[in-house]
Amino acid sequence: MADKPTLHVAVLIERRHQPNAWQDWGFAIADVVPDQGGFGSAPRLLRDDGRLAQTLHPGLAVTLHADEGEGYHLNLSSGAPVWFVMWRIDDEDPSRAWPELVTLSYNEAGRLLDAQERVDTVPLSGEVRHWLQQFTDTHYRPEPKQRKRPASFRAPEQR
């Protein structure tokens, strides 16, 4: 396995017109699919019936990094591993949204959420889960847990 294996993906975003009384547009990340170059490089409108529009955004790269091993491990051990997709809405045209980043690291997604970014999840396929598990098994070793003695049991000079 390469040091920084990369998987190219495309993100499918759904846009709903007036999903409720308070919003003109509602967006959801519908799917993340492998992109082997057949989708082109520009976003492609797949469907638009006035109420629901689906746009495929190709050309996003998901690169695995050894220092994100804990984040991959947390994602895999969650019981339901997912893609984390960070996306944005156009400030000038609120009917337009696009994905910025796709990651498999729980920790990276947490940092994005801490920065007030929009992050949605999509279930991970078995094939990609296996690929991520192989990388995580090779590059991640959990820190051994060390018992921390309460201060009251330590000598005064060690407190």
Side-chain angles (χ1 to χ4, degrees), residues 3 5 14 30 47 49 60 65 70 82 95 104 129 133 142:
D3 281 344
E14 289 185 347
R47 169 188 176 178
D49 63 11
L60 291 130
H65 300 274
E70 181 184 28
V82 295
S95 68
L104 292 165
R129 182 180 182 168
Q133 186 69 60

Side-chain angles (χ1 to χ4, degrees), residues 1-128:
M1 186 173 265
D3 281 344
K4 290 188 181 177
T6 300
L7 181 64
H8 296 278
V9 297
V11 175
L12 181 64
I13 296 183
E14 289 185 347
R15 179 190 73 195
R16 292 195 182 277
H17 183 62
Q18 294 181 326
N20 57 50
W22 300 275
Q23 290 180 302
D24 288 331
W25 303 102
F27 297 93
I29 304 299
D31 205 359
V32 176
V33 296
D35 180 1
Q36 298 170 354
F39 299 131
S41 59
R44 179 186 300 179
L45 183 64
L46 302 179
R47 169 188 176 178
D48 189 355
D49 63 11
R51 293 270 314 136
L52 177 70
Q54 293 181 322
T55 306
L56 186 67
H57 297 267
L60 291 130
V62 179
T63 302
L64 300 182
H65 300 274
D67 60 350
E68 283 292 334
E70 181 184 28
Y72 304 139
H73 171 73
L74 290 171
N75 188 7
L76 288 165
S77 63
S78 70
V82 295
W83 297 99
F84 297 98
V85 181
M86 192 268 283
W87 59 281
R88 295 201 169 129
I89 297 175
D90 192 332
D91 291 335
E92 295 178 18
D93 180 5
S95 68
R96 188 173 162 278
W98 66 91
E100 284 281 331
L101 177 96
V102 180
T103 184
L104 292 165
S105 170
Y106 183 91
N107 291 346
E108 186 174 10
R111 291 190 296 270
L112 292 167
L113 287 167
D114 288 346
Q116 303 298 310
E117 296 289 355
R118 289 179 182 91
V119 178
D120 285 352
T121 61
V122 176
L124 199 58
S125 70
E127 183 178 314
V128 176

